[in-house]
Each structure stands twice: as C-alpha cells, then as structure tokens.
Amino acid sequence: MADMTTDVLIIGTGPAGSACAALLSSYGIENMAVNRYRWLANSPRAHITNQRTMEVLRDLGPEVEAEAYMHATEQDLMGTNVFCESLTGEELGRIQTWGNHPNSRAEHQLSSPSKMNDLPQTFMEPLLFKTACARGTQARMSCEYQSHEADAEGVTTTILDRLTGKTFAVRSKYLVGADGGNSLVAEHIGVPIEGKMGVAGSINLLFKADLTAHVAHRPSVLYWVMQPGSNVGGIGMGVVRMIRPWNDWMAIWGYDIDGERPELTDDEAKKIIRDLVGDPELEIEMQSISYWTVNDAYATEMSKGRVFIMGDAAHRHPPSNGLGSNTSIQDAFNLAWKLAMVLKGQAGEGLLDSYNAERAPVAKQIVTRANKSIGEFGPIFEALGLIGHTDPDVMQANMEKRCESTDEAEAQREALRQAIAFKKYEFDAHGVEMNQRYRSDAVVADGQAEPGFEADPELHYQPTTWPGARLPHVWLYDGHGAKHSTLDLTKGGFALLTGLSGQAWADAAVKVAEQLGIKLSAYVIGPRQTLVDHTGDWARAREIGDGGCVLVRPDHHVAWRSGGASDTAQADLLRVLSAVLST
C-alpha cells in the first residue's frame, strides 16, 4: 500500500530534476520531487548557460528568464579565455569565447531571442526549484531513493526519510531518475552505460579574493595557468574560474586518480591558489574544498517502460564545453511535454518512446565532445615544449624559447597561436549547442532530404525547418509593433505556421485541435494578419511556399511541414498529429 500518490515522481532536484518538475507543473501535471539533501546545490559547479537552455527558461515564462539574467554574469564579461603563467605573470595567449568574437556574436544574436550567460548552479537550481514548487510541485527534502518496482499500471518507489530513519512508499504513473552521475535509478533499470567512470581526478577550491587588478582589463570566465612541474603529469595546468566578478572564484587543480586522494588543508589550498594567481601575499577567504572525477560515459538507452533517466544520470562527462546542466535541462524539455500529453489522454504511450530515440544520441554526442575537448589541449602543451619532458626547468626553458628571434621560435609562436585558436571547438562551439536534429516516431518526414551544413556543424548553427530540427528563430511583429520570436508561438502546445495562401491549414488546425483535444495554435503570417513578417526573415527561413505550413512541437522542434497548399489539409494534419502523438 502506497503512502502517497502522484502522477510523476522525480528523483533529484538538480538542473534536470527541477526543470522537469517546473515544466510538468506548468503543464498542470501533478508531480513530486525528492532530494536526498536538506537543500539544493552547495557549490557553483555548472555555470555556462547557453542560448538553448535560456529558451527553455523563456518558455517557462518571461519572469523566469528575467530572473536568470538578473543573477547571471552577462555575455560580455564572459569575455576571452586567457592562457598564462599566472594571473600576475606572462600571458601566453587568449581566445574570444562564448559568442564574444564579433562574427560569433552576430550568429548568436540571429539564432535566438535569448542570450548566453554565466549562471552558477547555486543560482540556476533554486530558480528552477522555486518555479516548480510555486506552480504545484510537492517537494520532499532529506528523502533518499532506495528502490522501485514497476508494473503495467505504474511504479511503486521506496523512499527513506533521512530525518526519521523511516521508509515510505510513493505510487506514481511514471518515475524520472535525475539522480546524478552515480544514479541508482539508472542502475536499477539496467540501462547500458558505455565508457568509463573516473578517468581523472580534480579538486575544486572555492574562495573569495579581490582579483580585480589582475583580470578586470581582460574579463573572462576561465584563466588557464601553466606552471611546469607543479601538479599531476608535470605540465602544471590549473584553472582559475570566475564565479562572480571579480571577488568570488574557484581554482581547479588535478590529482592522480590512480593514487590516494589527497586531503588538502586550507593552508595547502591557499598555497595552490596563490601560486596560480602569482601573489604570495594574496588575502584569501576559503569557502570549501571538494573532490570530483572526470568521467567519460553515457547511457545508450534513457528509459525502460515507465522509468526514465535524464541529466548526469544519462551523460557523465567533464565540464568541457559547458554542456552538463544545459543538456540536463534540455532533456527535461524533451520529456515533460510528452509525459503531460500522455497523462492527459491526448497521446498514446508510444510517444514516450521518442524520448529515448531523440535524447540518447545527444547524450553520446556531448560526452564525446566534452572528452575530446580535453585532448585538444595537447597541441598547446606541444607548442610550448611541455610534451615528452619531466624536468620542470627544461619545460620552462622550452616555453621561453618562443620569445627568441629565431626561425624555430617563429614556428613555435605560430604553432601556439593555432593551438589556442583551435580551442574554439570547446569555448565557442555554437553548433554543438544548437544543431540537434531529432529522428523518431514523433517526427514525420516530408520527403525532403536533410539539408547539409554549409559550415562546420560543431562551430556554426544552421537554421532549417526540416522535420526534427529546432524551429528557426526570427522576429515577427504584431499590430502594436511589438516583436515576438517564432519560438514563443509554441508555448504550452503545438503551433502551426503558414502564410496568406495557407488559410486552409489554419482552418484545419482549429478543427483537428478540437478532434484530438489538444492545444494547437495556428498563425497566418502576412500583411494585415495578427503577425507580420516586416523584415522578410520568416519568408527566408521557412523553406516552404506561402501556402505551405510548418507544424511545431511544444519543445520548439519541427514535427512536420508541407511545402504548399493541400486540398485535404484537415486529413493531412490529422494523419500527421495522430502519428506524432501515437494515438
């Protein structure tokens, strides 16, 4: 006998779990979120927040998006990644990152209504959790998942109340495991995990210090410091990461994963920080010392029956590229609307199979990319003459050779410039963040071949209305002159976009929405209509004729499109939506 019942039980209240809860509550779905701790994130581990994630927050409401910007460090101050011998020492080079190069900035501004920013997990997580609870999520803190049993009708989950030491049972129709990189839910449903956990060891040193004089003139999120001989492997690379400008910081340092984990004292931690900064007298206020491992593993399946996993439970990787919390929140955006429509009887359970088909490839992609980015530091080390040596004096001398006026030094400088510039694949990989194209039964092909990429798909986003792709963002204007992103048109349901010659599609949408009992908003875009394409940007982006239509899912991805008008618009639309919704 269950002690409590709910529609969806979510294990974990990190970015994935809290986003899932907030979205479900926004859709009117009863849910409960369980957290084994007394409160939320106690360290600002995840921080890079890309445009796609901000679009999810925008979908939750303008007040949610606005509060995120209020707490975030803006894109301009994310600045340039700096490579140096210490913050006070010689700079080795820098690269404009996170959309701050003028060419990249233009691409960012054209591709989304939302802005990239730096929002530490200690701010993101409470924002999502607060939104969830304010909209109806039942939260249970200090409660730990123990096990579950799934059957044809639902899932019974055993939870330990860590305050009383007693267990209780929750009966739900679905269970979501957002319980992190050591997910018990993933283990208990036996999803296959490919790769390896614990490939390297790292230490986070959270501290406060005024570093304004060393960094304000070259704002950045990350300062990469190289001091040969000072740490694991002898290369001596550490990171000074900005948490808040310019007084709140984290130093990241490595340790030998094959040896005994060190237990640093505050004094030892301060010594590492002062060396990285290059100021032996720096006044430091230590906040915390924590240890973590670099992982290289992903789930090849993200669901089993009525149980789903998301976030770090499914993709376990280093923080390279800043993909962790972003992908976690986007997992939730993909699954939540599907759960909501199934629970409301608007879709068949087959719709839920598309979550695995669409998000498991993303898990593999981002784990592969994040670990590849670590390896791409190699050319920098090689250009500096750090590879193949263990003597720090030799390594330091090799670094200094680049300052000579010889042919060899000129070649070394060029190699270093190219190696640093190549790190755009980690620090400005807009395509990795935005080019996800889904293939599943929740997408209906239109018979057109998938468009190729005109530029490197890891670096550059290519908008397309090809079914499965994210709807291109353009600004449309209402009768009062206010602008609206195309992405805003799907809020809380499906949307159909057509032109003046496609009125039949709009009329059909109204009838099909009533037949299926779903929210399907139809927009005729053109002169004297509710939305006008004054700039012509939508006409250029839509890739269909004026009499065609683009059908968009609640998560902004194109479900289907028609190139032109149809004499059987209602039947066509009913067929497509019935397939997408598995009804």
Side-chain angles (χ1 to χ4, degrees):
M1 176 83 59
D3 299 290
M4 304 175 192
T5 60
T6 191
D7 283 338
V8 182
L9 175 62
I10 302 165
I11 309 300
T13 58
S18 289
C20 187
L23 288 160
L24 287 172
S25 289
S26 300
Y27 299 147
I29 298 300
E30 182 181 330
N31 66 92
M32 178 183 295
V34 173
N35 182 352
R36 73 189 302 268
Y37 303 106
R38 63 184 297 176
W39 190 231
L40 305 174
N42 63 354
S43 74
R45 0 184 226 284
H47 59 115
I48 300 296
T49 306
N50 64 39
Q51 289 177 295
R52 185 63 184 130
T53 293
M54 289 305 300
E55 290 170 358
V56 179
L57 270 61
R58 183 184 183 90
D59 197 80
L60 282 169
E63 73 282 5
V64 179
E65 184 184 31
E67 186 170 345
Y69 290 136
M70 181 179 72
H71 293 300
T73 297
E74 64 181 3
Q75 186 174 12
D76 286 342
L77 291 182
M78 294 172 73
T80 59
N81 274 18
V82 174
F83 298 82
C84 56
E85 295 187 0
S86 71
L87 295 193
T88 62
E90 187 169 10
E91 184 172 324
L92 303 170
R94 64 176 78 172
I95 177 175
Q96 289 181 290
T97 53
W98 315 122
N100 276 297
H101 188 283
N103 291 337
S104 184
R105 176 65 66 92
E107 184 176 306
H108 277 69
Q109 290 177 344
L110 288 168
S111 63
S112 176
S114 300
K115 300 174 184 177
M116 193 163 198
N117 61 79
D118 188 283
L119 185 63
Q121 192 167 338
T122 42
F123 293 91
M124 172 70 87
E125 210 168 288
L127 172 58
L128 293 170
F129 186 71
K130 175 186 70 172
T131 302
C133 294
R135 297 181 184 182
T137 297
Q138 292 283 353
R140 302 280 297 191
M141 312 302 282
S142 298
C143 288
E144 184 175 349
Y145 166 85
Q146 300 285 288
S147 62
H148 75 270
E149 292 185 9
D151 54 53
E153 304 299 324
V155 185
T156 301
T157 303
T158 301
I159 305 289
L160 170 67
D161 186 324
R162 300 180 74 189
L163 299 181
T164 66
K166 298 178 181 179
T167 60
F168 60 92
V170 179
R171 181 68 175 174
S172 62
K173 294 174 183 174
Y174 298 98
L175 174 66
V176 175
D179 50 337
N182 294 310
S183 171
L184 271 181
V185 176
E187 180 182 330
H188 289 169
I189 64 174
V191 293
I193 304 291
E194 290 195 5
K196 183 180 179 181
M197 298 285 282
V199 297
S202 290
I203 310 170
N204 286 349
L205 309 175
L206 200 61
F207 68 99
K208 291 184 181 294
D210 184 2
L211 301 182
T212 306
H214 309 310
V215 299
H217 61 290
R218 48 179 180 179
S220 179
V221 173
L222 300 169
Y223 298 84
W224 302 88
V225 181
M226 296 181 201
Q227 297 174 336
S230 59
N231 76 343
V232 178
I235 289 174
M237 186 174 76
V239 182
V240 181
R241 174 192 145 193
M242 180 274 293
I243 307 298
R244 310 295 279 178
W246 302 110
N247 299 282
D248 202 349
W249 298 89
M250 178 188 290
I252 305 171
W253 199 240
Y255 71 89
D256 186 356
I257 192 71
D258 296 321
E260 186 176 344
R261 194 189 82 177
E263 295 295 335
L264 296 182
T265 65
D266 277 5
D267 286 342
E268 290 169 331
K270 288 179 180 179
K271 172 66 165 59
I272 292 172
I273 294 166
R274 288 180 177 128
D275 286 346
L276 291 173
V277 174
D279 182 355
E281 305 300 324
L282 181 67
E283 293 186 13
I284 298 171
E285 179 186 340
M286 288 300 303
Q287 302 291 298
S288 67
I289 302 172
S290 58
Y291 304 83
W292 53 282
T293 59
V294 174
N295 300 315
D296 184 2
Y298 58 89
T300 57
E301 299 174 14
M302 293 176 61
S303 63
K304 184 176 182 181
R306 292 179 172 270
V307 184
F308 305 84
I309 60 171
M310 61 174 55
D312 289 352
H315 28 86
R316 309 164 186 185
H317 54 91
S320 315
N321 289 77
L323 296 169
S325 65
N326 290 292
T327 308
S328 300
I329 291 169
Q330 292 157 33
D331 286 344
F333 198 36
N334 182 284
L335 179 61
W337 71 269
K338 298 173 182 177
L339 284 171
M341 295 195 76
V342 171
L343 285 163
K344 291 177 180 179
Q346 299 169 332
E349 289 196 344
L351 174 62
L352 300 176
D353 295 336
S354 66
Y355 172 68
N356 180 68
E358 293 176 354
R359 295 306 292 178
V362 176
K364 178 179 180 180
Q365 175 204 12
I366 63 111
V367 169
T368 302
R369 178 64 257 175
N371 280 278
K372 187 177 180 182
S373 291
I374 292 180
E376 288 168 354
F377 277 102
I380 297 177
F381 302 150
E382 187 171 351
L384 290 171
L386 305 181
I387 303 296
H389 301 281
T390 57
D391 186 334
D393 293 333
V394 172
M395 297 163 79
Q396 186 65 43
N398 288 343
M399 289 174 62
E400 293 175 1
K401 286 180 181 178
R402 76 189 191 286
C403 301
E404 298 173 0
S405 59
T406 62
D407 291 343
E408 292 79 6
E410 181 180 350
Q412 184 182 17
R413 291 191 294 272
E414 178 60 21
L416 180 59
R417 283 193 294 269
Q418 291 185 13
I420 290 176
F422 194 75
K423 290 302 289 177
K424 62 187 175 182
Y425 282 91
E426 177 175 359
F427 303 129
D428 204 14
H430 197 224
V432 172
E433 299 164 356
M434 304 289 283
N435 274 331
Q436 293 163 7
R437 299 177 180 179
Y438 294 153
R439 294 167 177 80
S440 75
D441 291 340
V443 173
V444 177
D446 67 344
Q448 300 297 312
E450 178 181 0
F453 289 92
E454 297 172 0
D456 191 316
E458 287 198 307
L459 297 180
H460 302 285
Y461 164 61
Q462 179 166 315
T464 177
T465 60
W466 187 74
R470 165 188 166 276
L471 178 70
H473 151 74
V474 301
W475 292 113
L476 301 171
Y477 299 84
D478 64 23
H480 303 288
K483 63 182 183 179
H484 304 268
S485 170
T486 46
L487 300 180
D488 297 336
L489 306 182
T490 68
K491 187 170 176 60
F494 282 78
L496 182 140
L497 283 60
T498 188
L500 283 171
S501 302
Q503 184 63 49
W505 288 114
D507 295 340
V510 174
K511 296 174 182 177
V512 171
E514 185 176 350
Q515 279 181 273
L516 297 178
I518 65 172
K519 180 180 178 182
L520 170 55
S521 303
Y523 299 91
V524 177
I525 300 169
R528 299 183 182 177
Q529 300 300 307
T530 304
L531 292 174
V532 183
D533 181 22
H534 285 312
T535 62
D537 288 337
W538 172 242
R540 285 184 284 271
R542 65 191 182 187
E543 299 176 324
I544 57 169
D546 195 61
C549 71
V550 178
L551 179 65
V552 190
R553 309 185 326 184
D555 61 356
H556 306 158
H557 280 258
V558 176
W560 174 73
R561 67 182 178 181
S562 173
S566 170
D567 295 331
T568 56
Q570 185 174 340
D572 293 344
L573 199 53
L574 180 62
R575 169 184 59 82
V576 167
L577 277 165
S578 296
V580 169
L581 297 175
S582 191
T583 53

